[in-house]
Each structure stands twice: as C-alpha cells, then as structure tokens.
Amino acid sequence: MKILVPIAKVPDTTSKIAFVDNNTKFNPDGVTFIMNPTDEWYALVRAIELKEKQGGEVVVIHVGLADSEQIIRKALAIGADKAVRVDADPTDAYFIAAQIAAHAKTENYDLIIAGKETIDYNSYEVGGMVAELLDLPCVALVQKLEIENGVATIKREIEGGTETVEVKLPMVVCAQKELAEARIPNMKGIMGARTKPLTVVPADATEKLTTITSYHLPDKANECKYVSPDNVGELVRLLHEEAKVV
Amino acid sequence: MAVLSFVEVSQGKIKKASVEAAYYGSKVAEGLGTDSIAVVLGTASAEELATLGTVGVKKVLHASDARFNNFDSKAFTKAVSEAANGAGATVVVLSFNQNGKLLAPRICVRLKAAYVPGAVELPVFNGASATVKKNVFSGKATAEYQLNTEKKVIAVNPNSLSPVRGAGAAAVETFAPEMADTDFASVVKGADLIVGEIPLSEAELVVSAGRGMKGPENWGPIEELAKLLGAATACSRAVADVDWRPHHEHVGQTGLTIRPNLYIAVGISGAIQHLAGVNGSKVIVVINTDPEAPFFKAADYGIIGDAAVVVPKLIEEFKKQKAAH
C-alpha cells in the first residue's frame, strides 16, 4: 500500500504571537517552528503503522522553503520512507492543496492521510481540497482507521458521538486525536533519516483565492472579576444580571 | 444572484448550527439586496423546512433522496454545488461544524470559489471582493480574510451569531440533483451516540473540570451542577488521558473546540493548549485553589477556592436562584 502524508510547518503552541508590517504579516522572530501536531502524531504515525502491518511505502509531502528541512527529516526519522518538498512559500490553503494534488496525480497512492487542521490558521482545509481536486472520497475527524482488502473501516466524530463508515480506496482521510499514539524518533531512525531520499520539486502556478489583509491581537487582557468563596451567591447574581448567561 | 445556505437535517430535524448558517446567509443576502435560499439534503417534512422562513430564508431547495440521509462528502459536494450553480449563488454559507468543515473546502474547489473557514462576523463587501474575520492561532488573534473571487464560500463558526427569529414561512421546492450510486462513497455501518447527555459541540452552557478534582470519584457535584443548569460536561486533556473522564469530553487544542455562552472551569489550570479549545466562549468562570493559575487571566469571573467546597455551594445558590425566578 502506498500512502501519502502531507505535513505542515507551524509555530509551536507556546509561541508568542506577534505581527509586523502594519499588522499584515506574522512575525517569525524568536518563534520555534514544529511539524503540525495532528499531522505528526496521528496522520504520519497511523500511516507508518499501516505500512508496518501490510507493507508498502509512506511518502511525506511538504510545501515550503528550504528552512523546512528539519521537520521533513523528523518525519523521515519517525518512519516515513521518502519525502517530497514543493519549493514555494505557500500563499493560501488552496495553493498547498493544488501542489499536493498535482504530485498525487503522478503517483498512484492508495491512501492520503492528512491532519484535521493546522494549529496556525485552524482551517481544516487541505484534506478536503485535495480530495475534491482528485475527485476522491474523503472522511474527516477520523479517530480509527483499519484497511482490509482495499476497504477502509473508519470511525469519525459526529455531533454527539461517532459514526462508523466503510469506504473503498483510494481515498483521503483527515486524522485527529485517538487515531494513533505519537512516536518519538529513536537514534536509528534519526541516523537513517539523513540518507532517505528527499526530492525537491518546483511549484505549479496556482491562482490565489484568498489574501489575509490584516491581523489583530485582542485589545486588552481580560479583567477577571473575583468573587469570594464565602459569597458564591454573588457569582450566581453576576451571571444572571450582568453576564445574562443563566 | 442569490445567497445559498446549506442546512443539515438529522432525523428530520434542522440542526441548530444550520439555523445559524441560514440566518447568516439571510443577513448576507439582505446586505447584497438579493434572496436567501437554502438547500436541504435528505428526509425532512415540508413543515419543518418551512420554519427556515423565520430566519429570513425565502426558498428551500429540498432533495428528499433517502441516499442523502447518510453524510458522504463527495455526494453532498456535488449536490450543494449543483444547487449553487442552479440558483446562481455568489455566496454559499455553511456551518463550520463537523460535516461543514469537510464539505466547505470541497465545495470551494468545485465552484472555484475563495473560502473562509470559521467566520466569526458578517462579511464586508467591497465591489466584487469581500473581507471576513476569522480566529487564527487557536484564538490568540484574528485575521481579515479577503475573498478574491466572484463566488465565495463562508463557513460560519457555531455560536458566532444569535439568530433572531421573525415571522414567515419559506417556500419549499423539490430539488433533484443528478446523482449516481457511485457518487455515494461511504457506507454507514452504525453510529455510537452518547445518549442522555447534551452534545458538547452544541451546548450553550458547559461545566468542565480537571486535575484539581483529585480523582474520578469526585465528579458527582460537577455532574449535578451541569444537570441543574442544563449544561454539558467537559474536561481537560490530563484527566481524559488518565481515563478519569471519557475522551469525547476533552476540550482543547487536540480535543474539541467549543464556543458556549458560559464555560465554567473547575480545577483546570488553563494551559495554553486548553485555552485554545475554549477561548471563544462568551463568558468564562474559573474556580481554582491556585491564585496563580493562568486560566484566571482568560476568565471573566473567578473564585479562588477548593472545588469540593465551592461547587456544592454553587449548586445551592443556583437552586435558590431557580426557585426565585
């Protein structure tokens, strides 16, 4: 089985978020960039587990510049077999999806596993877009994925519970929590990653559908109103009369 | 020209998140001086669908094909896109809920439309383009998305806009998209619904607790408080990971993202990963023994105290308040 896993580079969760150029650009100064957690912990690890069980190959694809090499090597160290980097600074999610779809069209993947969202733009976009560009079935918010005889059995989140569905491969899956347990690369993996193939390809020209015109940080820190633990009734009064939520 | 909203039904009932999407669609249509139309896929009564008129929908396109009773992203994308093209819609609105999060990006590709995932306000039109605000960096900032194409897809964050109901009934028309059996890629084998509880993603009030509860045996007052308020229960990652609470209750960066009107956090320190899942809540109450808990910085109201003491008192006070009103 041949599996493709798109990976994104994002600011670490604990990063201080700041903007420059009159609030039109994210300020990367002093920010640590990491592999997007749902891509790494769930999508990539589940892809490797499926390969270990059934044989095949796991390819990671990343759209970004040369400074992303560290996270690509990490994906190889965790257990991906080879990597493709599309050499471009992505302009929007559609651009990224178009690059991934263009690559996938030239290879016959049985399965594409993406993370459900990236933690920077929280957009849940790329998996669905790739599926539509390739005219493939897609299931998102996936918590369980088993493959047997070319059919995926999937548990996905729905409102108030989960649903189990079967879909014939090839398809796209968007992974979330519970799909797999995060793996820490071991020394053998890290050494091996240095010699695994990383192909750099140019980007396809793609229409820019969206532009972020400005960013805003919250105006001020929230003022917390403290209520004494001996006067809990006051909290109930405030929630009723001031906040009007109960 | 028209604005088309995708309205989901479940067991024949319109989902709450979809009422918000339809209302949002009607507001956009009003701003553009055009009609608000909705598309519904699957079994539902004409009476139920006509109620969309109360949130400004003029016409409902209803495809009652029973194959739509199960969600399949490929089939739904095809049908909603066909409805959008047929109605000449320039804006398609969906809820940014479980199904919308997948459907919207597919539809945007199919329609070659610019897309904003998780809008928190109405769009501002400027000629052919529009800008829409959305949360970014897990709620730590907002961004203005400019949609550069003639056709636009907007997925609206649940609980961003409270629908104002008016009078009126929508006209319901039959819609028969051309569907082949091969368009329906997913075969649903079953669902596992948490019964007797309010789904967390739909809840307006949420009572949540974490490690400060000291053990799973101490959750009684949390559940009692939730029941009293008609609230859903949630928890932090730490307690879901040690199986004090079920995983579906976990809110935060790697769990559910929720935006209730009231979020009461008991014994949760408020690490940035947890805040990422709840900082869209309208009002946050924090109860914690540690005055330095970072959660107080994000709270509207705080009580520094022990959950074991404060929560039972809170239950008594809410009971008194309920009796008085």
Side-chain angles (χ1 to χ4, degrees):
Chain A
M1 195 163 51
K2 223 170 137 180
I3 309 172
L4 180 68
V5 179
I7 55 172
K9 186 182 82 170
V10 296
D12 180 64
T13 314
T14 53
S15 305
K16 188 172 158 42
I17 302 300
F19 304 101
V20 289
D21 290 357
N22 205 13
N23 282 329
T24 58
K25 278 198 185 74
F26 175 69
N27 183 0
D29 286 355
V31 170
T32 308
F33 286 90
I34 57 167
M35 194 182 336
N36 184 49
T38 52
D39 303 351
E40 178 186 329
W41 302 347
Y42 312 125
L44 177 60
V45 174
R46 189 62 192 144
I48 294 165
E49 288 170 353
L50 288 170
K51 183 199 83 169
E52 287 168 349
K53 220 162 70 180
Q54 312 187 346
E57 184 181 49
V58 175
V59 180
V60 291
I61 183 166
H62 172 74
V63 182
L65 302 175
D67 58 3
S68 300
E69 188 160 331
Q70 202 185 346
I71 67 144
I72 297 172
R73 291 287 172 204
K74 186 178 182 192
L76 294 169
I78 291 171
D81 299 293
K82 56 187 193 185
V84 176
R85 179 169 70 81
V86 181
D87 188 29
D89 196 6
T91 48
D92 61 8
Y94 181 70
F95 179 92
I96 297 169
Q99 308 308 322
I100 295 166
H103 165 79
K105 270 179 194 158
T106 65
E107 308 276 328
N108 281 316
Y109 290 105
D110 301 291
L111 189 59
I112 300 175
I113 312 181
K116 68 167 180 175
E117 63 163 340
T118 56
I119 61 168
D120 48 4
Y121 293 97
N122 313 108
S123 294
Y124 297 77
E125 283 176 286
V126 169
M129 286 178 171
V130 169
E132 190 61 26
L133 287 164
L134 298 171
D135 197 26
L136 288 178
C138 180
V139 178
L141 306 179
V142 170
Q143 300 176 337
K144 232 184 207 170
L145 168 68
E146 297 294 343
I147 310 281
E148 212 170 309
N149 302 323
V151 177
T153 304
I154 292 168
K155 189 168 94 172
R156 72 168 183 121
E157 180 196 313
I158 58 172
E159 273 142 341
T162 58
E163 182 180 80
T164 302
V165 295
E166 281 183 4
V167 183
K168 268 199 198 116
L169 302 186
M171 72 171 302
V172 180
V173 163
C174 305
Q176 73 167 356
K177 190 181 153 72
E178 292 186 49
L179 185 63
E181 289 284 332
R183 284 190 187 183
I184 297 162
N186 57 26
M187 193 43 82
K188 187 170 161 248
I190 295 166
M191 300 300 284
R194 292 186 193 160
T195 52
K196 284 181 179 172
L198 193 178
T199 316
V200 179
V201 298
D204 276 10
T206 304
E207 204 181 326
K208 187 169 156 65
L209 301 181
T210 56
T211 312
I212 294 178
T213 53
S214 65
Y215 293 93
H216 301 277
L217 290 168
D219 289 340
K220 61 174 176 67
N222 223 32
E223 271 304 308
C224 179
K225 234 182 227 183
Y226 287 94
V227 174
S228 159
D230 301 319
N231 189 16
V232 173
E234 174 64 4
L235 176 66
V236 174
R237 189 192 68 78
L238 287 166
L239 290 175
H240 182 65
E241 291 174 12
E242 188 179 81
K244 297 189 170 69
V245 286
V246 289
Chain B
M1 207 165 85
V3 174
L4 180 81
S5 50
F6 167 64
V7 171
E8 264 185 275
V9 286
S10 169
Q11 314 288 334
K13 293 272 171 247
I14 297 166
K15 287 188 183 174
K16 176 184 162 245
S18 289
V19 174
E20 292 170 11
Y23 177 71
Y24 186 101
S26 297
K27 284 281 160 197
V28 175
E30 199 180 298
L32 292 171
T34 180
D35 286 342
S36 171
I37 299 173
V39 59
V40 174
L41 306 176
T43 309
S45 70
E47 294 78 49
E48 173 76 4
L49 301 182
T51 63
L52 287 168
T54 61
V55 289
V57 173
K58 212 170 159 193
K59 188 165 79 178
V60 178
L61 305 171
H62 181 208
S64 57
D65 188 332
R67 288 177 297 181
F68 287 124
N69 289 344
N70 289 322
F71 178 75
D72 179 83
S73 69
K74 201 168 165 236
F76 274 51
T77 299
K78 190 176 172 188
V80 175
S81 303
E82 195 180 313
N85 287 332
T90 48
V91 183
V92 177
V93 179
L94 302 94
S95 171
F96 198 53
N97 64 352
Q98 280 90 343
N99 290 343
K101 279 174 178 167
L102 174 55
L103 203 50
R106 290 199 79 138
I107 291 170
C108 101
V109 167
R110 201 169 180 100
L111 296 178
K112 263 278 179 186
Y115 166 48
V116 60
V120 294
E121 284 178 7
L122 287 165
V124 176
F125 281 85
N126 182 8
S129 83
T131 55
V132 190
K133 185 184 273 188
K134 93 170 219 78
N135 292 330
V136 290
F137 298 103
S138 303
K140 283 189 263 183
T142 57
E144 298 286 341
Y145 271 49
Q146 183 179 299
L147 308 179
N148 300 328
T149 52
E150 192 210 341
K151 287 181 191 165
K152 297 162 186 74
V153 176
I154 301 174
V156 54
N157 240 354
N159 280 341
S160 295
L161 211 65
S162 304
V164 179
R165 300 259 191 181
V172 180
E173 279 181 18
T174 301
F175 168 54
E178 263 185 55
M179 304 299 296
D181 274 333
T182 49
D183 292 327
F184 296 85
S186 320
V187 180
V188 175
K189 290 297 184 186
D192 188 6
L193 292 173
I194 301 129
V195 287
E197 289 175 40
I198 296 159
L200 196 45
S201 53
E202 305 234 315
E204 289 180 4
L205 308 174
V206 174
V207 181
S208 186
R211 232 174 347 203
M213 301 305 294
K214 299 190 179 83
E217 67 280 7
N218 299 328
W219 246 263
I222 297 295
E223 284 171 351
E224 192 186 342
L225 177 60
K227 205 170 167 208
L228 181 67
L229 294 175
T233 49
C235 72
S236 66
R237 177 173 176 166
V239 302
D241 279 354
V242 294
D243 289 330
W244 288 7
R245 297 299 291 175
H247 272 284
H248 65 79
E249 278 197 359
H250 162 206
V251 292
Q253 180 112 70
T254 52
L256 269 183
T257 305
I258 55 169
R259 304 167 56 81
N261 288 333
L262 174 63
Y263 185 75
I264 301 179
V266 185
I268 301 176
S269 66
I272 204 149
Q273 290 84 349
H274 183 77
L275 293 181
V278 302
N279 61 11
S281 309
K282 285 208 175 83
V283 174
I284 294 178
V285 173
V286 171
I287 299 167
N288 206 301
T289 47
D290 176 10
E292 300 298 320
F295 218 149
F296 284 116
K297 289 203 179 76
D300 299 283
Y301 302 103
I303 294 182
I304 301 164
D306 187 354
V309 180
V310 175
V311 177
K313 278 193 198 168
L314 200 51
I315 292 169
E316 286 318 305
E317 292 297 335
F318 272 120
K319 277 185 183 160
K320 272 193 226 162
Q321 189 241 357
K322 284 212 168 212
H325 288 87

